[in-house]
Amino acid sequence: MKNTKVVLNQRPEGALKESDMVLVEETLPALEDGEVLLEVEHLSVDAFIRTTFDEGAFHGTADLGQPIMALGTARVVDSRFDGLNQGDAVFGPMGAQTHAKLPGAMLQKLDESELPARSFLGVLGLATGMTAYAGMTWVAEVSEGDTVVVSAAAGAVGSCACQVAKNLGARVIGIAGGPAKVDYLVNEIGCDAAIDYKAGDLEGQLSAAAPDGVDVFFDNVGGEILDTLLLHINERARVVICGAVSQYERTGDVRGPSNYLKIPEKNASMLGFTVMRFAEQYPEIQSGITDWVLSGKLKLPEQVENGIDQFPRALTLLFSGGHMGKLLVAP
Amino acid sequence: MKNTKVVLNQRPEGALKESDMVLVEETLPALEDGEVLLEVEHLSVDAFIRTTFDEGAFHGTADLGQPIMALGTARVVDSRFDGLNQGDAVFGPMGAQTHAKLPGAMLQKLDESELPARSFLGVLGLATGMTAYAGMTWVAEVSEGDTVVVSAAAGAVGSCACQVAKNLGARVIGIAGGPAKVDYLVNEIGCDAAIDYKAGDLEGQLSAAAPDGVDVFFDNVGGEILDTLLLHINERARVVICGAVSQYERTGDVRGPSNYLKIPEKNASMLGFTVMRFAEQYPEIQSGITDWVLSGKLKLPEQVENGIDQFPRALTLLFSGGHMGKLLVAP
């Protein structure tokens, strides 16, 4: 079986370039006992992938010449693993490639009866919808009447986070770059207001959108946006640090929040979490999300790029802000 | 009645200088109804005073020519306020001066039967012992077996914080500058280990003192110390931001914690608080502290500078690290 994989060509310096990655063709060896041959259907384009390109990364470091780490969904083509059969849909660490040969034990068989398989990369994705659900519900503890601000709101986590907060009774303000995203946030995602940070005067826009201050800030960006928000937090505010996409490319030169002394001044908290903390609640989260999706209270628009050769460009899009909703590659 | 007061001479630029303050003599006018004439006995030399010297300060801005804000204890010399009589000990916003004429309603009558009046500026002080007690008990939620690190540990809040954490069953590591303070922390305060940040290699010293990582960091300093500690936090660690003495003099140029992304990575929290959040627990805190003091489980050494003319120097000492325990001025 032929496979086309995307491998790390060189460790990126500064902004990620398409040329940091390169396509390689190979022939996959025969299956061994316990292994499964997969045709990859959708790859999830995630910010954490960028962090694996540096030495000493939290999620593990990518090796030059190995397929770039990526989660995905796939269809079983051939199986020598009990419990997985040809035609089954699975989720797992596919790597950025068209086909994969993996131990069956590393895969999760997917139930496609309610939502399509690719939902497990988006609205039901651990790092996407489930992160947004757990973060808003149990970390930020959003309740009726809270003013909630979400950064990178037009991204996959942000789009879900805005809607989860709405469903919990909050007034929700999304921050994103450009008029198309502002329109998307208000008209597709249902934000009460949206801020275009590229239009300048973030401070003034925030004062206008949240005149009574901010109870919850769900941050995916860091940098200047985090610093500005800190000036607007209310007493007992919760600042949830979900990510810091503005800082991932600044190895060794991360900008810390210089207004962090607002945290003690306001009796506030800066809360970090990873969704794994809520492993015992996964079934509860999944059924909560599925109910909302089926009743129209939660949706995650998808942007699908076709062809494995589009993977490098898609990954750079994630950092240049050139997408809305969930970014997928269909190899 | 003659009064000598310390007034703000000019708004400091950068490091506070004694010459930013100046002594002024005046004659106090006669008491009006509801007022009390006071002889100030002890003034509390606190970091927040520095913050009042800048425009737009959280605790209010000091006016040029007015007595510098300072909390203190005093003896009633004359009273036209029901409920306070000559000889009573009181606590209140005395200002940096030898005598004060204040509305009786602004004063708190002190019970001297168990601990001396000046204890209300130190071990029983809102911003000192009570802050340490509430911060360790209810914000950091220190429990048996935790590894707790305290910065500015030889200061007033730090000295109390170390002992409160010990009394709650933790292993406690204090950080301070210079061998005299390290000796004080281990031999007077009872820390299990102490780190001299001025000796260099903070990272190595911390790895040696806390080889299993840090569960609670109680920070009064910010800057490099906070950044280094963040690299050593354990899963679910609590980083309590009590103050940031290293940053108070860097108006407009505060260094934020560039390693704050360890917070999400470690499922940790950065928690801010002011003691006022725990107003309903004040009686509980006071009786808890008094019991510990009387049973020898909590002490706060005092450094008393004599003479109101020593106030400017004492305040600069607070930022140059030239004191241990509670710094007081006896006018």
Coordinates of all heavy atoms in Angstrom, one line a residue, chain A residues 17 32-33 36 58 69 72 92 121 128 133 143 161 172 187 223 231 257 269 283 286 291 315:
Chain A
K17 N 6.9 28.1 8.2 CA 6.8 28.2 6.8 C 6.4 26.9 6.2 O 6.7 25.8 6.7 CB 8.1 28.6 6.1 CG 8.6 30.0 6.6 CD 10.0 30.3 6.0 CE 11.1 29.4 6.3 NZ 11.4 29.3 7.8
E32 N 1.4 -6.6 10.8 CA 1.8 -7.6 11.7 C 0.6 -7.9 12.6 O -0.4 -7.1 12.6 CB 3.0 -7.1 12.5 CG 4.3 -7.0 11.6 CD 5.5 -6.5 12.3 OE1 5.6 -6.8 13.6 OE2 6.3 -5.9 11.7
D33 N 0.7 -8.9 13.4 CA -0.4 -9.2 14.4 C -0.7 -8.0 15.3 O 0.2 -7.4 15.8 CB 0.0 -10.4 15.2 CG -0.5 -11.7 14.7 OD1 -1.3 -11.7 13.7 OD2 -0.1 -12.8 15.2
V36 N -3.5 -2.6 12.3 CA -4.6 -2.2 11.5 C -4.1 -1.3 10.4 O -3.2 -0.5 10.6 CB -5.7 -1.5 12.3 CG1 -6.8 -1.1 11.4 CG2 -6.1 -2.4 13.5
F58 N 6.5 20.0 25.2 CA 5.5 19.4 26.2 C 4.9 18.1 25.6 O 4.8 17.1 26.2 CB 4.5 20.4 26.6 CG 3.3 19.9 27.4 CD1 3.5 19.1 28.4 CD2 2.0 20.3 27.0 CE1 2.4 18.6 29.2 CE2 1.0 19.9 27.8 CZ 1.1 19.0 28.8
M69 N 3.1 14.7 13.8 CA 2.1 14.3 14.7 C 0.8 15.0 14.3 O 0.7 16.2 14.1 CB 2.5 14.7 16.1 CG 1.9 13.8 17.2 SD 2.5 14.3 18.8 CE 4.3 13.9 18.7
G72 N -6.5 12.2 13.9 CA -7.4 12.1 12.8 C -8.4 11.0 12.9 O -8.3 10.2 13.9
G92 N -7.6 8.4 16.2 CA -6.3 8.1 16.8 C -5.2 9.0 16.3 O -5.4 9.9 15.5
L121 N -13.2 15.1 15.9 CA -12.0 16.0 15.7 C -12.5 17.4 16.0 O -11.6 18.3 16.2 CB -11.5 16.0 14.3 CG -11.0 14.6 13.8 CD1 -10.5 14.7 12.4 CD2 -9.9 14.0 14.8
T128 N -10.9 20.2 21.5 CA -11.8 21.3 20.9 C -13.1 21.4 21.7 O -13.1 22.1 22.7 CB -12.1 20.9 19.4 OG1 -10.9 20.4 18.8 CG2 -12.6 22.0 18.6
Y133 N -16.1 22.8 26.6 CA -17.2 22.4 27.6 C -16.7 22.3 29.0 O -17.2 22.9 29.9 CB -17.8 21.0 27.1 CG -19.0 20.6 27.9 CD1 -20.3 20.7 27.3 CD2 -19.0 20.1 29.1 CE1 -21.4 20.3 27.9 CE2 -20.1 19.7 29.8 CZ -21.4 19.8 29.2 OH -22.5 19.4 29.9
S143 N -21.8 31.1 35.1 CA -23.2 31.0 35.5 C -24.0 32.2 34.9 O -23.4 33.1 34.4 CB -23.3 31.0 37.0 OG -22.8 32.1 37.6
A161 N -16.4 27.4 22.6 CA -16.5 28.1 24.0 C -17.5 29.1 24.0 O -18.2 29.3 25.0 CB -15.1 28.6 24.3
V172 N -22.0 36.9 26.0 CA -20.7 36.5 25.4 C -20.2 37.4 24.3 O -20.9 37.9 23.4 CB -20.8 35.1 24.8 CG1 -19.5 34.6 24.1 CG2 -21.2 34.1 25.9
N187 N -23.3 36.4 13.7 CA -24.4 35.9 13.0 C -24.5 34.3 12.9 O -25.5 33.7 12.7 CB -24.5 36.5 11.6 CG -24.7 38.0 11.6 OD1 -25.7 38.4 12.4 ND2 -23.9 38.8 10.9
G223 N -0.4 37.5 25.1 CA 0.2 38.7 24.6 C -0.7 39.9 24.9 O -1.2 40.0 26.0
L231 N -7.0 44.4 32.4 CA -7.4 45.8 32.9 C -8.9 45.9 33.1 O -9.3 46.9 33.7 CB -6.9 46.9 31.9 CG -5.3 46.9 31.8 CD1 -5.0 48.0 30.7 CD2 -4.7 47.3 33.1
P257 N 2.1 38.1 30.9 CA 1.1 39.2 31.1 C 1.6 40.2 32.1 O 1.6 40.0 33.3 CB -0.1 38.4 31.6 CG 0.4 37.1 32.2 CD 1.7 36.8 31.5
S269 N -8.6 35.0 39.7 CA -7.7 33.8 39.5 C -7.4 33.6 38.0 O -8.2 33.9 37.2 CB -8.5 32.5 39.9 OG -9.0 32.7 41.2
P283 N -17.9 10.9 29.5 CA -19.2 10.5 29.0 C -20.2 11.6 29.2 O -21.0 11.8 28.3 CB -19.5 9.2 29.9 CG -18.2 8.7 30.4 CD -17.4 9.9 30.6
Q286 N -19.6 14.2 26.6 CA -20.0 13.8 25.2 C -21.5 13.8 25.1 O -22.0 14.2 24.0 CB -19.4 12.4 25.0 CG -17.9 12.5 24.6 CD -17.2 11.1 24.6 OE1 -17.6 10.2 25.3 NE2 -16.1 11.0 23.9
D291 N -26.3 16.2 22.8 CA -27.6 16.8 22.9 C -27.7 18.2 22.4 O -28.7 18.5 21.7 CB -28.0 16.8 24.4 CG -28.3 15.4 25.0 OD1 -28.4 14.5 24.2 OD2 -28.4 15.3 26.2
L315 N -1.6 24.2 8.1 CA -1.0 24.4 9.4 C -0.5 25.8 9.6 O -0.7 26.4 10.6 CB 0.1 23.4 9.6 CG 0.7 23.4 11.1 CD1 -0.4 23.0 12.1 CD2 1.8 22.3 11.2

